[in-house]
Amino acid sequence: RKEVEQDPGPFNVPEGATVAFNCTYSNSASQSFFWYRQDCRKEPKLLMSVYSSGNEDGRFTAQLNRASQYISLLIRDSKLSDSATYLCVVNSNASGAGSYQLTFGKGTKLSVIP
Amino acid sequence: GAVVSQHPSWVICKSGTSVKIECRSLDFQATTMFWYRQFPKQSLMLMATSNEGSKATYEQGVEKDKFLINHASLTLSTLTVTSAHPEDSSFYICSAADLLEETQYFGPGTRLLVL
């Protein structure tokens, strides 16, 4: 089983649509969770951290279910500029400070169509 | 977010030459930096973890003698691809660990093309 699995995609949605990305992780000791965004031929950029209580940043909402080892990202009212690959990322360091190794999912490509 | 720079952004070289890539954290001290490689349409693959003042930790399958990593200061790590071959052509990305946010910030990447 892969450490971090995501919807294979790609997702092609019209402007204004709501789109959801799902992700599961295998290491139950994982401590921190993130969504990164990667534009074509660019480096990944942190979109948002994912907290146990769920968190929202404008049109973006992230949810975490530790029992199911499941993470989600919801984008509302999608814009053309949201087109990118969305990476589910897990920090599986269970030993506290000193190591912040991240494990990346393969990413789900989103294309928002006019 | 934090700023990480990488240099050069593009490299085209002949087979057999060595290429050095620099990664700098510009506004924070990074005791730990990471080097990744990404082939087209593939996910980021961690190559090695670079710790300031000590030897790098390489992932399985990554040759430490081919990919030399030096992390001499809290703001600079370098990756040297020795005797590069066409199969080493890839997108190399570094990141620096932000201890407060427990995450990593990425440099803009270096595209390496070995002819």
Side-chain angles (χ1 to χ4, degrees), chain A residues 31-32 34 36 38 40-46 49 87 91 98-107, chain B residues 10 32 34 36 38 42-44 46 49 59 91 93 97 99 101-109 111:
Chain A
Q31 297 291 307
S32 308
F34 310 91
Y36 276 72
Q38 186 174 23
C40 188
R41 301 172 74 81
K42 298 285 188 180
E43 78 278 16
K45 292 188 178 178
L46 179 63
S49 301
L87 305 171
N91 178 344
S99 173
Y100 295 93
Q101 193 170 104
L102 300 179
T103 301
F104 288 79
K106 283 198 168 182
Chain B
W10 273 96
T32 303
F34 301 87
Y36 295 84
Q38 187 175 35
Q42 299 290 317
S43 59
L44 264 73
L46 179 66
T49 302
E59 295 301 300
F91 188 39
I93 311 175
L99 301 185
E101 297 192 28
E102 297 186 339
T103 189
Q104 298 172 22
Y105 289 96
F106 287 83
R111 294 206 175 273

